[in-house]
Amino acid sequence: MERNAAVMKESKSIGERRGSKRFRLRLAVVFSWRDTQGIVQSGEGSSSNISSRGIYVRTKMAPPVGTVVEMAVFLPQPAYDIRAAEIHAKGRVTRIDQGPLAPTCGFAAMNRTVLVRESIEHVFDGNNGAEQGSRVA
């Protein structure tokens, strides 16, 4: 009996190594990175799952593994009188998934910094471009 408990405990830790809860959310994502020549590249896609520590993005073109990527994840507007918000994250691409003939692929990125802020069209108010409403998550 004790042996089975030890095996179950081990298989649970092997099967799920992530320390933060993931949410299955399909949200619009815009991302950018610098290529090997230092030129800024960008793409768009949608999230498949998201957590405070990482994100999985489905897209047509993924940054290379190991690349630092900046991402804006657009949250839905909760009500007509409440401004929409976005998650701005900076992280590193840890994995790319692509089928042999698939028109889309996906990439996983581990976040280093995460900010939740009002959508970009509402960020600047007229007071010398002061940013409003930013919070570190």
Side-chain angles (χ1 to χ4, degrees):
M1 191 80 143
E2 288 180 34
R3 180 176 162 8
N4 288 342
V7 170
M8 287 175 57
K9 184 177 180 182
E10 182 180 335
S11 65
K12 182 180 177 188
S13 64
I14 290 171
E16 183 58 60
R17 296 179 299 185
R18 294 170 180 90
S20 59
K21 184 172 172 85
R22 291 181 291 160
F23 298 93
R24 291 182 163 266
L25 293 171
R26 185 178 172 135
L27 301 170
V29 180
V30 174
F31 55 92
S32 64
W33 74 97
R34 291 193 181 274
D35 65 16
T36 55
Q37 287 80 33
I39 299 169
V40 175
Q41 303 291 326
S42 64
E44 59 185 36
S46 61
S47 64
S48 175
N49 66 60
I50 190 168
S51 76
S52 62
R53 299 190 64 200
I55 186 170
Y56 189 85
V57 178
R58 296 220 174 267
T59 183
K60 291 183 180 182
M61 181 177 66
V65 171
T67 302
V68 173
V69 63
E70 289 194 44
M71 299 164 284
V73 181
F74 299 96
L75 301 172
Q77 188 169 349
Y80 75 93
D81 61 341
I82 299 173
R83 292 182 176 161
E86 69 182 56
I87 298 169
H88 185 267
K90 189 173 186 178
R92 186 171 301 275
V93 176
T94 58
R95 183 180 89 240
I96 297 173
D97 298 319
Q98 185 165 10
L101 300 173
T104 60
C105 63
F107 71 90
M110 181 163 293
N111 298 335
R112 291 192 299 187
T113 61
V114 178
L115 281 169
V116 177
R117 62 183 181 194
E118 291 178 0
S119 287
I120 197 72
E121 64 265 12
H122 301 293
V123 171
F124 298 104
D125 68 356
N127 297 333
N128 299 329
E131 195 170 319
Q132 300 294 312
S134 291
R135 296 180 301 253
V136 175

